[in-house]
Amino acid sequence: MAGFTLSDNVPHTPFYHYDMRLLGETIDAAINHSSRFGYNLHYAVKANADKEILEFIAKKGLGADCVSGWEVDAALKCGFAPDVIVFAGVGKSDQEINFALDNDIFAFNCESLQELEVINELAKNKNKIAQIALRVNPNVHPDTHKYISTGQSESKFGIAYNEINKALESVEVLQNINLKGLHFHIGSQVMTMSFFEELALRAVEITKWFEDKGCKIEHLNMGGGLGVDYDNPMDNPITDFANYFAQFEKHLPKDKTVHFELGRSITAQCGELITRVLITKETATGSNYAIVDAGMTELIRPALYGANHKIINLSAKSDELKKPLYYIGGPICESSDVFAHEIEFPKTNRGDILTIKSAGAYGAVMSSNYNLRPRAKAIFDYK
Ligand code: LLP
C-alpha cells in the first residue's frame, strides 16, 4: 500500500487521494478468486461513484450495481454495458424505472409486491418485458452496525419471506415482467464468514422453494457486504476474497449463474482523506484536541456510525510516536464531528498533515455541503 507521501507542495487540503495501483490489485484479486467458480462481479456504485474510479472499474470488466436512476446513468456514461447493470433500491421512482427500462439493463432487483406491479405497468406502456430478480429478505443477522444491516426480517429491505408465495403469484400473472433470478443482501462491513455461509444456505432453501413450484431460477445475486480491515489497513490492504467466495461455493447450486455486488471491499482501502491540522487545544477537562480542516462533510462515517478509521500524522517524526491521547476533531458545528477519540498519537502541531485511511468507500460519495463547505477535490495516483 503506497499511500500519500509528503512533499513540499501539498495540494489544498482537505482532499481525497486514491492509490489506483492498489485499486487495480484489489479488483484483480476479486476477479481471480471469483472467476475460478465462474462468478459475475458487479461493483456497487454507491461506495464510490467518482467518474475516474467508475471508468477504471468498468475497464477492468466488472458489472455495476446501482441503487438509483442517476447511478444507472453514471454507470452507462462511464462505460458499463447495460447488460451488466443491476438496479436495486427499496423505492424506485417511475422516472428512474423508465430510464432503466429504456436502457435495457440486466435486471431490476425488486423489493416489494407493489414494485412488481409498478414495473409491470411501466414496461407495458413501453411494450417491453422487464427482466427482474426478487430481492428476498433472508432473515440473516450479521454482526455489523444496525444502520448497515439489511437482511433481518424487521428491516425495510426486500420481500418478506412469508410473502414469496404472493410474489410468485404476481410474477405468474403479470405479463410484462420476467423473473430471472433471486437477490439477497444481508448488510455491509461483515467480517464473520459464517454469516455468508448462513446466507448461502438460506438462498439454497429459497431457490428450492421456487423451483419446487415449477419456477426456473437462472441467476442468484448474493449482494455485497464483505468487510475490510479498518484497524490495520496497511497490513491488510486487500480483504479475504478467497474465503468469502468459498462460503458460497460450498453450497450454491452449480446450474445457476451467481452474481455479487461488492462495494467497500473494492474501493475502501485505495482511498484516504488528507487533512491539515488547523488548531490544537485542550478542553477544561484535559482532553487534548487536534482540529483538522476535514470534517463530517468529507467523511461522515465516524459521526454517523461511530466508525473507526486509522489516522496517521504524516508530518510527525517517527520517534515522536508516543502519548498523550488525542481527539481528532473536524471544524463542523456538530459535537459528533470527531474522527477519533483518545487515540495514541504523536505530538501534533498546527500545520501538520494527517491521513485518514480506508476512506475510498462511502467517503467522498457521502459528502455534503453542510456549513456551505465546498466538496473536497480528488487526486488519482497511478504510480
Ligand atoms: N448491494 C446492496 C443491495 C446494497 O445495499 C449494498 C450496500 C451493497 C450491495 C454493497 O455493499 P458493500 O459490499 O459495500 O458492503 N454507508 C455505509 C454502507 C452502506 C451500504 C449500503 N448498501 C457505510 O459507510 O458503512
Side-chain angles (χ1 to χ4, degrees), residues 44 46-47 65 67 88-89 109 111 135 147-148 150 157 183-185 187-190 221 223-227 230 244 260-266 300-301 304-305 307 361-363 366:
K46 67 175 82 64
D65 157 44
V67 284
N109 293 330
E111 306 219 12
R135 175 170 180 177
Y147 290 178
I148 55 174
T150 54
F157 296 99
H183 173 233
F184 308 92
H185 175 68
S188 201
Q189 184 51 19
V190 179
N221 181 337
L226 175 61
Y230 282 97
Y244 172 69
F260 292 88
E261 306 168 338
L262 301 178
R264 188 189 316 266
S265 53
I266 302 292
I300 201 174
R301 303 194 69 258
L304 190 56
Y305 316 112
Y362 308 111
M366 291 179 80

